[in-house]
Amino acid sequence: MQSTGSLERKKLCWPTWKAVTIYYAIACGWAWLAWSPVVLGSGGLKLIRLNASLPVFTCIATLGPFFGCFLTHRLETGNWRAVHLLPRSPLQWLWLLMGPLLLLATYFVVYPALISKGSPAQWHWQPAVLAGLWVPMFNYNLLGGPLFEEFGWRGFLQARLQRVMPSWIAAICVGILWSAWHAPLFLATWSSAFPLTYILIVIGVALLIACAFNASGGAVLVAIMMHSAFNASSRFLDPFLRDTPKHEYPSGEMFIAFAFLATAALVVLLTRGRLELSAN
């Protein structure tokens, strides 16, 4: 005899996948159309004479997940209350700090430890350069992804998928779909990472954000802050490791992937796949 939980999961399965399909079609349709001037212009395939601004069109593209979240929820329920923006209890507010710190520790402790050559005595990390990191976290960088995307990736997609599968598997699926959403940009001058390496990085990041998102009671603001910390950090890596001897193979991007996947694997083990480090 099937358990009540199993039956409930089966009932949720079709509506969930239908909603996910609609959401992703809206997210990709809007974003890929917005990115088309960049991809087709002088910074991409050079099929049209247009020097489109990547930051401007990326800000427009990030509205795709945002619209997908609210429009799909409206179709499902008849109302617009698709997400929770803020943590639900006083202790869950701690994740506004702990979530970004989890990502920053991966970027500036785990990754440097993996890529630095020699003994720790030869590592000349420069933590003082991180004092300016908070500025790009809260300036226009917020509009280039975190502010609008997270309503879709975590607020909608992670929340829906973990209804019908374990949270850690849901986060991997979100990571794959999130990275694939960026696919047109690989036809333009955008990232130094190979597509496969980028997918691995994003899967690791998705697992960490999902953990803090769940622990905060599903607060989208926590995911926004973590996404912003991730986007802002890359420009500080070279100054942080300025005089430190580094491994030349594999690539620095692959070491970033190793760092995020290793941290994510530890989180999955510690939470037994539930991706929730309780703050209350």
Side-chain angles (χ1 to χ4, degrees):
M1 182 179 291
Q2 289 182 307
S3 67
T4 303
S6 176
L7 289 173
E8 288 178 353
R9 180 166 289 192
K10 269 194 165 183
K11 289 178 183 178
L12 286 168
C13 191
W14 164 239
T16 296
W17 289 114
K18 183 178 181 180
V20 166
T21 301
I22 294 171
Y23 160 77
Y24 199 62
I26 296 171
C28 289
W30 176 278
W32 293 2
L33 182 63
W35 277 322
S36 60
V38 176
V39 173
L40 298 176
S42 58
L45 299 176
K46 297 179 174 60
L47 297 178
I48 59 176
R49 292 183 179 180
L50 179 65
N51 185 19
S53 170
L54 179 59
V56 170
F57 283 93
T58 293
C59 290
I60 297 170
T62 61
L63 290 169
F66 181 83
F67 291 150
C69 167
F70 286 98
L71 290 174
T72 306
H73 184 80
R74 174 72 178 181
L75 289 173
E76 276 188 304
T77 66
N79 66 68
W80 298 100
R81 297 186 297 273
V83 302
H84 294 280
L85 180 61
L86 304 176
R88 304 183 187 189
S89 73
L91 287 178
Q92 288 173 347
W93 279 88
L94 290 174
W95 285 99
L96 281 173
L97 175 63
M98 294 191 295
L101 286 178
L102 180 61
L103 275 175
L104 295 177
T106 304
Y107 244 133
F108 298 107
V109 178
V110 181
Y111 164 71
L114 291 176
I115 201 171
S116 298
K117 291 173 65 175
S119 68
Q122 297 174 284
W123 300 353
H124 304 296
W125 301 352
Q126 307 291 326
V129 305
L130 302 183
L133 190 144
W134 304 104
V135 175
M137 273 188 66
F138 293 100
N139 63 10
Y140 65 87
N141 170 69
L142 270 175
L143 298 174
L147 185 59
F148 297 118
E149 285 185 42
E150 287 305 324
F151 284 86
W153 303 127
R154 252 57 59 175
F156 184 90
L157 194 55
Q158 178 71 35
R160 293 301 190 284
L161 289 180
Q162 63 189 18
R163 292 179 183 177
V164 295
M165 61 180 68
S167 295
W168 70 278
I169 296 178
I172 291 175
C173 292
V174 171
I176 293 171
L177 293 173
W178 183 18
S179 54
W181 176 78
H182 292 84
L185 292 178
F186 284 96
L187 300 174
T189 304
W190 175 63
S191 173
S192 59
F194 287 109
L196 178 58
T197 306
Y198 180 76
I199 292 171
L200 294 176
I201 293 172
V202 172
I203 288 173
V205 173
L207 284 160
L208 297 183
I209 297 180
C211 176
F213 172 76
N214 287 340
S216 68
V220 171
L221 184 59
V222 171
I224 291 172
M225 290 297 97
M226 293 181 73
H227 190 161
S228 189
F230 173 72
N231 283 6
S233 294
S234 60
R235 72 188 69 180
F236 292 88
L237 287 176
D238 286 340
F240 184 80
L241 295 169
R242 184 176 56 203
D243 300 319
T244 299
K246 298 183 288 292
H247 294 286
E248 296 180 1
Y249 182 84
S251 66
E253 291 84 359
M254 186 57 75
F255 274 108
I256 293 174
F258 292 158
F260 278 102
L261 290 174
T263 306
L266 180 60
V267 168
V268 170
L269 289 174
L270 289 175
T271 63
R272 298 181 181 180
R274 293 181 292 110
L275 294 186
E276 183 174 352
L277 296 169
S278 180
N280 50 24

